[in-house]
Amino acid sequence: MGQAALAVDCDDVPLFSLDGVTMEVPGRTLLQPLTASFPTGKTIGLIGHNGSGKSTLLKILARIQEPTAGRVSFEGKALAAWGNREFARKLAYLPQYTPAASGMLARELVALGRYPWHGALGQFTGADQEKVDEAIELTDTVAFRDRLVDTLSGGERQRVAIARALSNRPKLVLADEPTGNLDEKTGHEIADMLVQLNADQKMTMVLVTHNPVVADRTRRQFRLGSGKLIEETVKP
């Protein structure tokens, strides 16, 4: 199997570098050997149909799964060499399906994003609360911050999930189909918000999507098919 090599703009500082990254499970190759560099500070789309390997790649970047072969570096350091808390302070991962939060208020869920900074037995400080309040403002969730998460609409829940990610003040956000379970109008609003956060907060956004409208909002696009990287598009 060959490798698909991607060129990187000379003014881009790679956030992730991947060299021959492969993911195999018994009887199936989920991700073909892939070599690529992801720039810092951009909106990046991982595009493809279901089963193309894009969610697998995102989970490898988030350290949820380990590749079966190849090397991944984050900020020039081997991904596996990062300490758990140190790495958790750098990024936020948004799964495709929002986990259950029974009995929890929206603001309480947002506050969980501060965990990497104070730990399970640490004290929640005024500085933590400031970051939570900022995240709630940035995601326009003030109006329902005191409502139970279970009572929120899909779009409202996704905004709260993004606020939780932002309260960590990460360097990048990895989002798996952030609009996949939403109606078209709400999905576009969420996509627009993520792109605006990239512009205003300088956070790198890596968005997994099969929605061409959402993909078009990203500055760099990596198209996958059957576990292979088949195309790269760079917008000015």
Side-chain angles (χ1 to χ4, degrees):
M1 293 181 291
Q3 294 185 5
L6 300 181
V8 182
D9 296 339
C10 61
D11 59 345
D12 282 342
V13 177
L15 187 63
F16 285 104
S17 295
L18 299 88
D19 183 11
V21 172
T22 306
M23 187 67 184
E24 296 179 340
V25 295
R28 186 181 176 195
T29 298
L30 301 179
L31 198 64
Q32 304 277 4
L34 186 154
T35 297
S37 292
F38 284 38
T40 298
K42 306 290 186 182
T43 51
I44 299 167
L46 301 182
I47 305 164
H49 297 295
N50 290 338
S52 63
K54 58 189 188 298
S55 292
T56 297
L57 177 56
L58 195 76
K59 289 176 181 177
I60 289 173
L61 299 180
R63 296 208 316 186
I64 294 171
Q65 295 180 341
E66 289 189 23
T68 51
R71 297 185 300 275
V72 184
S73 296
F74 176 66
E75 294 187 337
K77 178 179 175 181
L79 193 62
W82 285 84
N84 290 336
R85 179 166 292 187
E86 184 184 22
F87 187 69
R89 289 176 175 180
K90 291 280 188 175
L91 101 170
Y93 173 76
L94 292 174
Q96 183 174 359
Y97 300 102
T98 306
S102 181
M104 186 173 290
L105 300 177
R107 57 178 170 80
E108 293 173 333
L109 183 59
V110 176
L112 291 181
R114 296 299 300 167
Y115 178 82
W117 294 94
H118 61 79
L121 300 178
Q123 184 178 1
F124 189 85
T125 67
D128 289 318
Q129 188 60 57
E130 286 180 10
K131 296 297 186 294
V132 169
D133 293 341
E134 288 172 6
I136 288 173
E137 290 281 351
L138 285 170
T139 54
D140 196 23
T141 55
V142 174
F144 46 88
R145 62 180 295 167
D146 292 315
R147 284 175 52 190
L148 290 169
V149 175
D150 289 346
T151 69
L152 302 179
S153 68
E156 291 169 341
R157 285 175 66 97
Q158 189 66 315
R159 285 180 179 272
V160 169
I162 294 170
R164 174 183 174 177
L166 295 184
S167 71
N168 184 33
R169 303 305 295 168
K171 185 167 186 175
L172 76 151
V173 174
L174 304 176
D176 193 354
E177 297 284 5
T179 67
N181 300 312
L182 306 175
D183 63 75
E184 183 176 3
K185 178 177 180 297
T186 304
H188 291 176
E189 291 173 353
I190 294 296
D192 287 341
M193 182 177 67
L194 291 172
V195 171
Q196 194 62 47
L197 286 168
N198 165 258
D200 294 344
Q201 305 299 316
K202 310 306 179 187
M203 294 179 186
T204 304
M205 297 282 174
V206 181
L207 312 179
V208 164
T209 185
H210 63 269
N211 186 328
V213 176
V214 176
D216 190 55
R217 286 164 162 76
T218 60
R219 295 285 300 279
R220 179 163 298 188
Q221 301 166 9
F222 298 94
R223 184 175 300 278
L224 289 88
S226 301
K228 297 180 181 179
L229 185 58
I230 58 178
E231 183 182 18
E232 177 199 12
T233 303
V234 181
K235 291 186 178 181

